[in-house]
Amino acid sequence: MIVILLYLRIKFFSMISLLSNLKIAVPDKIFIKDPESSDLGKRIIEHSILLIDDIGFDSFTFKKLGAQIGSNESSIYRYFESKHKLLLYLTSWYWAWIEYQMVFATHNVADENDQLLRAIDVVTRTIKEDVAFTHINEIVLNRIIINEYSKSYLTKEVDSENKEGYFVVYKRVIRRLSDIISHVNPDYEFPSSLASTIVEGALHQHFLKAHFSSITDCGKDVTPTEFFISLTQKVLKTTTDESR
Amino acid sequence: MIVILLYLRIKFFSMISLLSNLKIAVPDKIFIKDPESSDLGKRIIEHSILLIDDIGFDSFTFKKLGAQIGSNESSIYRYFESKHKLLLYLTSWYWAWIEYQMVFATHNVADENDQLLRAIDVVTRTIKEDVAFTHINEIVLNRIIINEYSKSYLTKEVDSENKEGYFVVYKRVIRRLSDIISHVNPDYEFPSSLASTIVEGALHQHFLKAHFSSITDCGKDVTPTEFFISLTQKVLKTTTDESR
DNA sequence: GCAAAAATGATAGTAATACTATTATATTTG
DNA sequence: CAAATATAATAGTATTACTATCATTTTTGC
């Protein structure tokens, strides 16, 4: 019965509804208490996204967040041991959501280059619609990723945190893209570097578009998606006269 | 007389000595008092580089720096109004130094593609030799750029600081590279995005190499330089059957 | 329906940060 | 050598990033 209902919802409401039934999996060492497990937890996530977007991660504090949600600083500390861990949670959630879309978008697509185009689209596009079935506003979260993601790994603790598995989701997204690249052109020598360059580069181009428009071609007419699709197609095109 | 001496030094000691005669120009709104103008100033720069590399920018404070150089916190504040401004100083200095090398490396090179290869080499290579004529250790500074550069612009104040001219040097480096790209292939549609992707992407690949080796091909055998040269050559190669 | 457990809230406290301000002491320079 | 300038020392402030404790509310298991 549940299975049938689920199936119908998938058919009828497509991905948007599917997501409301699935739980995005975040490595559980990141939090002390799962924010998805309570109302307060969900409010913490919902409003931390809005507040970080508003004042920036550097100015964001648990005290300010507490004020926003009418809760206490000390209660937030029962979910996350630091604001850095909260950022790791948000970014992991984001990449898990991207991963899900990538799998969904490429599934059952026969042509491998077509798969690649769809995968690149998923990781480079601007999020324009809030799924709105959850407490997480993906449009705003996407902005946070553009503006703050680097700060989650540009720390002295990267290596130990990496060992703890805090970046697995991100790495998995890149490896999936890398695998698709290798399928399209098995002779290409740098699939992982190309994949990581696309993912990181797309965030960067979005940032430049908003703040340093003179050093990007992305803007009104050109999207990061177009730029990276063009680039990837050219890089992977096997020319017969592959000189030296 | 001075002119003749300078000329001789250039001829005799080449770039290393040239740099010891030239002063790298940093936008002067970044500092309160020019650190190049005094002994204390130079010690601030020299040891801030070492200390940031050692403990990371996030843990770095003027108090700790003062302790290292046997000086007082309050004296450092007379040179820079905040540690953020000091980071802007270091990064501007770095990009000015890179710009200088780029101009030097491409000057008088007849073949335009050769110019491009040299320019890419300058912005993507690992710095392996300290020029050692100044108080600035370029090897260590390069590591700081890899680990901390993004933090200089991923702030809520980017737009106002950009207006103040704090990022001009960086943007000029990218524009120079973009211009060279356009000369090699005037029909290529995204020279600025390609240039910014190479510069930022190279820093990222260096970072991945050190901390997330599973999502890059760069490592022992492959350098970011090789990856980006290969990529750029493929992207700019004009194929006659440019389909659609 | 109630007791125990769990969750949340309120308050206080700490060491460190990112500064500003003031005054004292060197050092430079005209 | 006096005046100006640079540096050092000290103190103070508001905020941050927490930890700890205790009180209150909510949930749950029987």
Side-chain angles (χ1 to χ4, degrees):
Chain A
M1 181 55 174
I2 285 169
V3 171
I4 289 164
L5 264 179
L6 197 68
Y7 176 70
L8 285 175
R9 295 183 76 150
I10 292 170
K11 278 221 76 163
F12 279 46
F13 306 116
S14 134
M15 203 181 91
I16 286 160
S17 185
L18 211 193
L19 267 171
S20 74
N21 288 317
L22 287 175
K23 198 188 151 193
I24 296 280
V26 169
D28 62 2
K29 275 193 168 178
I30 291 179
F31 47 76
I32 298 170
K33 181 181 173 175
D34 186 358
E36 287 295 325
S37 71
S38 74
D39 190 65
L40 177 62
K42 284 176 201 152
R43 265 161 53 233
I44 289 172
I45 298 307
E46 178 180 3
H47 287 89
S48 65
I49 292 170
L50 301 176
L51 188 55
I52 291 172
D53 180 54
D54 190 27
I55 65 176
F57 184 68
D58 299 336
S59 302
F60 170 86
T61 68
F62 282 179
K63 197 171 190 178
K64 290 174 187 170
L65 177 59
Q68 291 269 324
I69 62 179
S71 178
N72 200 277
E73 196 189 358
S74 61
S75 303
I76 301 167
Y77 274 105
R78 288 211 186 76
Y79 286 84
F80 295 100
E81 72 181 60
S82 65
K83 70 169 180 170
H84 176 244
K85 285 285 176 75
L86 172 55
L87 180 61
L88 288 175
Y89 180 91
L90 297 179
T91 57
S92 284
W93 194 97
Y94 178 82
W95 292 116
W97 180 65
I98 290 287
E99 181 185 27
Y100 173 79
Q101 289 176 80
M102 192 191 275
V103 173
F104 196 89
T106 57
H107 187 239
N108 281 342
V109 175
D111 183 69
E112 283 171 338
N113 195 54
D114 207 28
Q115 269 189 31
L116 178 58
L117 296 180
R118 286 161 190 251
I120 293 175
D121 184 54
V122 167
V123 296
T124 61
R125 69 189 167 197
T126 308
I127 283 88
K128 28 187 185 294
E129 265 175 55
D130 183 6
V131 175
F133 274 77
T134 65
H135 50 289
I136 295 183
N137 183 326
E138 288 87 4
I139 299 172
V140 181
L141 182 54
N142 176 239
R143 275 205 299 268
I144 291 179
I145 299 299
I146 291 169
N147 294 314
E148 321 284 1
Y149 182 54
S150 306
K151 296 174 191 169
S152 76
Y153 59 81
L154 294 180
T155 67
K156 277 279 159 182
E157 297 79 33
V158 221
D159 295 333
S160 62
E161 293 188 345
N162 187 26
K163 266 187 197 147
E164 294 287 324
Y166 297 168
F167 304 101
V168 274
V169 191
Y170 176 64
K171 292 191 288 183
R172 217 162 52 212
V173 167
I174 300 213
R175 249 177 271 122
R176 282 186 191 277
L177 182 57
S178 173
D179 287 347
I180 299 173
I181 288 169
S182 288
H183 268 104
V184 171
N185 183 348
D187 295 328
Y188 181 60
E189 304 109 298
F190 318 113
S192 297
S193 287
L194 180 56
S196 49
T197 298
I198 293 168
V199 172
E200 162 66 23
L203 297 179
H204 191 57
Q205 291 298 312
H206 280 292
F207 184 87
L208 296 182
K209 202 174 80 185
H211 303 287
F212 296 107
S213 56
S214 69
I215 54 170
T216 178
D217 300 289
C218 300
K220 255 189 212 140
D221 305 323
V222 177
T223 62
T225 305
E226 287 173 69
F227 167 60
F228 280 107
I229 280 183
S230 151
L231 181 141
T232 306
Q233 294 295 89
K234 286 176 181 177
V235 167
L236 298 184
K237 185 176 287 170
T238 344
T239 358
T240 27
D241 71 314
E242 194 62 82
S243 40
R244 66 182 198 100
Chain B
M1 181 55 176
I2 285 167
V3 172
I4 289 165
L5 264 181
L6 197 67
Y7 176 69
L8 285 174
R9 294 185 77 149
I10 293 170
K11 279 220 70 161
F12 279 46
F13 305 117
S14 132
M15 203 182 90
I16 287 161
S17 184
L18 212 192
L19 266 171
S20 73
N21 288 315
L22 288 175
K23 200 189 151 192
I24 296 278
V26 170
D28 63 2
K29 274 192 168 180
I30 290 178
F31 46 78
I32 298 170
K33 181 180 171 174
D34 185 357
E36 287 295 325
S37 71
S38 74
D39 189 66
L40 177 63
K42 285 176 200 153
R43 264 160 52 231
I44 289 172
I45 298 308
E46 179 181 1
H47 287 90
S48 66
I49 292 171
L50 301 175
L51 188 55
I52 291 172
D53 179 54
D54 190 27
I55 65 176
F57 184 69
D58 298 337
S59 300
F60 170 86
T61 69
F62 281 179
K63 199 170 187 178
K64 289 174 187 170
L65 177 60
Q68 291 269 323
I69 62 179
S71 177
N72 200 277
E73 195 189 359
S74 61
S75 303
I76 301 168
Y77 273 105
R78 287 211 186 75
Y79 286 84
F80 295 101
E81 72 181 62
S82 64
K83 71 170 181 170
H84 176 243
K85 285 287 176 73
L86 172 55
L87 180 62
L88 288 175
Y89 181 91
L90 297 179
T91 57
S92 283
W93 194 97
Y94 178 83
W95 292 116
W97 180 66
I98 290 287
E99 181 185 28
Y100 174 79
Q101 288 176 79
M102 192 191 276
V103 173
F104 196 89
T106 56
H107 185 240
N108 282 340
V109 174
D111 184 70
E112 283 171 337
N113 195 54
D114 207 28
Q115 269 189 31
L116 178 58
L117 296 181
R118 285 162 191 251
I120 293 176
D121 184 53
V122 168
V123 297
T124 62
R125 68 188 166 198
T126 308
I127 282 88
K128 29 189 183 292
E129 265 176 57
D130 183 6
V131 174
F133 274 77
T134 66
H135 49 289
I136 295 181
N137 184 326
E138 289 87 5
I139 299 172
V140 180
L141 182 54
N142 176 239
R143 274 205 299 268
I144 292 179
I145 299 299
I146 291 169
N147 294 313
E148 322 283 1
Y149 183 53
S150 308
K151 295 174 192 169
S152 75
Y153 59 82
L154 294 179
T155 67
K156 276 279 158 183
E157 297 80 31
V158 221
D159 295 334
S160 62
E161 294 190 343
N162 187 26
K163 266 186 196 147
E164 295 287 325
Y166 297 169
F167 304 101
V168 273
V169 191
Y170 176 65
K171 292 191 289 185
R172 218 162 52 213
V173 166
I174 299 209
R175 250 178 271 122
R176 281 185 192 277
L177 183 57
S178 174
D179 287 347
I180 298 173
I181 289 169
S182 288
H183 269 101
V184 171
N185 184 349
D187 296 328
Y188 181 60
E189 305 111 296
F190 318 113
S192 297
S193 286
L194 180 56
S196 49
T197 298
I198 292 168
V199 173
E200 162 67 22
L203 297 180
H204 191 57
Q205 291 299 311
H206 279 292
F207 184 87
L208 296 183
K209 202 175 78 183
H211 302 287
F212 296 108
S213 57
S214 69
I215 54 172
T216 179
D217 299 289
C218 300
K220 255 190 212 137
D221 304 323
V222 177
T223 61
T225 306
E226 286 173 68
F227 167 61
F228 281 107
I229 281 184
S230 151
L231 181 142
T232 307
Q233 294 295 89
K234 287 178 180 174
V235 167
L236 298 184
K237 187 176 286 173
T238 346
T239 358
T240 27
D241 71 315
E242 195 62 82
S243 39
R244 73 180 196 98

